[in-house]
Amino acid sequence: MSITKQELVEGIRFAGRRAAAALEHVPDFDRQLAQEWTTADAFRHIAAGAGSLEGFYGGLSTGAFESFSNDDAAAGNARTIERMAEVSREELGTMILEGSETSAAFAETLDEDDLATVVTLGDYRMPKAELVAQIWIHHPIHHAYEASQRWPL
């Protein structure tokens, strides 16, 4: 069962709101997470990508991502996080909300048939809609949870 365009649009907005809420309530912004990032770094990462769906989606049809590696992603993430080091918590929240709205509005313009087109990126082989859901719904929720979870589970 593939995600519908409407579910995708609603999910992108939902993920942005949930990430912004987690950011608002997280007590220690500089807490070290299990990997090399801090809580602040995780939210910088979410904010940086929130509004970038249009550019990403256009690249899916060009083959631009075929040789993109995990190392490329890690290096890009590190540069983005470093560049955003002085962005305040409030500004990050605004970037997350406005960015997710921008991406959701773009998703509203997408063609259902094109969203059903299967693409392959690394180990991913799925419809474009599912890939977008992975990156603009699951991904920000994952990082927001990781950055804000403080109780032992």
Side-chain angles (χ1 to χ4, degrees), residues 74-130:
N77 289 340
R79 284 189 301 274
T80 299
I81 288 168
E82 183 178 325
R83 192 171 50 247
M84 295 178 68
E86 300 304 316
V87 177
S88 73
R89 182 190 291 234
E90 293 76 21
E91 290 170 312
L92 290 173
T94 298
M95 290 174 70
I96 291 168
L97 290 172
E98 289 178 358
S100 62
E101 179 55 38
T102 296
S103 288
F106 174 73
E108 288 177 320
T109 71
L110 296 174
D111 178 74
E112 293 274 0
D113 290 335
D114 190 53
L115 283 167
T117 302
V118 174
V119 294
T120 301
L121 295 176
D123 290 341
Y124 287 105
R125 180 166 164 68
M126 61 180 68
K128 287 181 180 180
E130 289 297 327

Side-chain angles (χ1 to χ4, degrees), residues 17-109:
R17 289 190 309 269
R18 297 315 314 142
L23 170 63
E24 183 178 328
H25 297 290
V26 71
D28 182 357
F29 203 48
D30 295 314
R31 182 179 178 145
Q32 183 65 50
L33 303 178
Q35 31 74 3
E36 62 191 60
W37 289 358
T38 64
T39 292
D41 293 337
F43 285 108
R44 289 177 185 119
H45 175 67
I46 295 168
S52 63
L53 175 56
E54 184 172 1
F56 175 83
Y57 197 84
L60 288 175
S61 299
T62 67
F65 302 113
E66 288 177 10
S67 64
F68 194 73
S69 69
N70 286 337
D71 289 339
D72 294 331
N77 289 340
R79 284 189 301 274
T80 299
I81 288 168
E82 183 178 325
R83 192 171 50 247
M84 295 178 68
E86 300 304 316
V87 177
S88 73
R89 182 190 291 234
E90 293 76 21
E91 290 170 312
L92 290 173
T94 298
M95 290 174 70
I96 291 168
L97 290 172
E98 289 178 358
S100 62
E101 179 55 38
T102 296
S103 288
F106 174 73
E108 288 177 320
T109 71

